[in-house]
Amino acid sequence: MMLPLLIFRNARLLAPLSVIMGLIAWTGLILPVCATPQTLEGLKLELLSETTAIQPGVPFTVGLRIDHAPGQHTYWKNPGIVGVPTKLEWTLPAGFVAGEIEWPQPQLTMMAIYPVYGYEGETLLPVSITPPESLDQANVTLQAAASWMCCGKTCHPGFTTLRLTLPIAGKNENPEPTAAQPLFVQARKDLPARTEAWKITATLSEGQITAEIVPTTGSLANFALLKDSAAAGVYFFSSDGLIDSRPKQEISELPGSGGLRLKLSISEHAPELPTEGARLKGVLEAKIQWISGTTSTSTSTAIEIDTLIQR
């Protein structure tokens, strides 16, 4: 029996997870438990560790590796007008604490006629885990309930339980990296950069947000590369659903300032903005290397934006 096609109009209007789970049960599908790489509808999944062992009290990083089949994608933390973000719900030994997914810069892809935010090809979603200061067992098993939506011409909600068992090392030992470490290194490079090389302002008028991005005095930001914004592929990804992913974004040069102006349409599904304190949050991305003045070693082509919206 084919799983019914589910269409989601907005992250805030998503069908509850329990509804999707019920549909899975209704079709007779069995949710698999995975300790090794697993091939599922439209993708392969694997839970990886960056290191070969765990040190008491020392944070370490694991990651969900997603290898999409050609023409398939999963979704970023805000999918845009349609879609469901990938989620991990952890069941960990006592004293272990898992952080949030560290999302690499998203890609603009398509679900039918809708532009959406997600990932194609191979992607690693890292998560930092902190163990307790004292561990008296030989090894521990980490368990994550993963859920996602994989889309191409049709959409397939997916669920599985992933388990990863790692040995415990001594406090003075230095665990070796695993063969997967290059994936973690690349994932960190793909994180949106934090930079002070650009001054960013946002104003609200007639259902649109106008954002202006100007190089700061003395910065090495290479705006010249972005002047042809169409060729550079400049795009703003809203991280909280405020901006509609469907309309074409209007991008132009700011005369005399060496900066960019973006006109962004507010989503019809966005909550009413507060009178004070509303913010524009997301990622500004280009398809070329254009960033300088970052606070990290990131080679990402995207910067984080979190700025007050003026009225």
Side-chain angles (χ1 to χ4, degrees):
M1 184 181 296
M2 292 183 64
L3 189 66
L5 176 63
L6 301 178
I7 299 296
F8 297 89
R9 288 288 172 184
N10 186 271
R12 292 183 178 83
L13 302 178
L14 300 182
L17 188 60
S18 59
V19 173
I20 301 175
M21 290 289 286
L23 287 169
I24 295 284
W26 175 67
T27 61
L29 297 179
I30 298 175
L31 305 185
V33 173
C34 176
T36 57
Q38 190 172 131
T39 300
L40 297 155
E41 187 73 49
L43 47 68
K44 295 179 182 179
L45 289 181
E46 187 176 7
L47 192 60
L48 301 172
S49 174
E50 187 173 16
T51 56
T52 55
I54 298 170
Q55 286 179 283
V58 178
F60 62 100
T61 306
V62 298
L64 178 65
R65 176 180 172 267
I66 308 175
D67 189 7
H68 302 88
Q72 302 289 316
H73 66 265
T74 53
Y75 292 92
W76 189 48
K77 59 182 175 181
N78 171 40
I81 194 63
V82 296
V84 181
T86 299
K87 293 184 179 179
L88 293 171
E89 295 185 4
W90 294 92
T91 300
L92 301 174
F96 281 71
V97 178
E100 299 295 326
I101 292 173
E102 299 175 31
W103 297 92
Q105 65 183 66
Q107 303 166 16
L108 188 63
T109 184
M110 297 293 292
M111 176 55 226
I113 62 173
Y114 298 112
V116 292
Y117 309 153
Y119 301 103
E120 301 174 351
E122 183 181 50
T123 298
L124 184 76
L125 303 180
V127 175
S128 177
I129 296 181
T130 302
E133 293 291 335
S134 177
L135 291 168
D136 55 9
Q137 60 265 58
N139 56 65
V140 297
T141 296
L142 314 174
Q143 179 174 300
S147 61
W148 65 92
M149 180 71 77
C150 183
C151 294
K153 292 182 178 179
T154 59
C155 282
H156 306 277
F159 307 87
T160 192
T161 298
L162 302 162
R163 293 191 180 112
L164 181 65
T165 299
L166 295 169
I168 304 301
K171 284 192 173 183
N172 296 324
E173 296 180 30
N174 187 18
E176 294 292 325
T178 64
Q181 189 189 39
L183 296 178
F184 289 88
V185 172
Q186 186 59 52
R188 290 190 185 97
K189 290 181 178 180
D190 289 339
L191 293 176
R194 297 179 180 180
T195 176
E196 297 180 357
W198 301 83
K199 178 182 178 182
I200 301 163
T201 59
T203 56
L204 170 65
S205 177
E206 299 180 351
Q208 278 195 325
I209 301 289
T210 298
E212 295 185 352
I213 300 95
V214 179
T216 55
T217 302
S219 78
L220 299 178
N222 194 350
F223 173 72
L225 293 173
L226 295 184
K227 285 190 174 180
D228 185 356
S229 57
V234 176
Y235 190 88
F236 176 76
F237 293 84
S238 171
S239 62
D240 60 4
L242 175 63
I243 303 303
D244 197 328
S245 67
R246 291 171 295 180
K248 182 177 178 60
Q249 295 181 1
E250 183 180 332
I251 305 172
S252 58
E253 183 179 349
L254 272 173
S257 67
L260 289 176
R261 177 185 287 123
L262 288 78
K263 290 190 176 181
L264 310 168
S265 299
I266 294 178
S267 172
E268 63 192 80
H269 303 297
E272 185 176 351
L273 288 174
T275 304
E276 296 181 358
R279 302 189 72 83
L280 179 67
K281 298 181 180 181
V283 170
L284 183 67
E285 184 177 311
K287 296 186 181 301
I288 59 173
Q289 289 292 343
W290 60 285
I291 304 169
S292 66
T294 60
T295 56
S296 69
T297 58
S298 172
T299 57
S300 170
T301 60
I303 61 173
E304 289 186 4
I305 289 180
D306 184 351
T307 191
L308 185 69
I309 298 174
Q310 306 287 342
R311 291 175 179 265

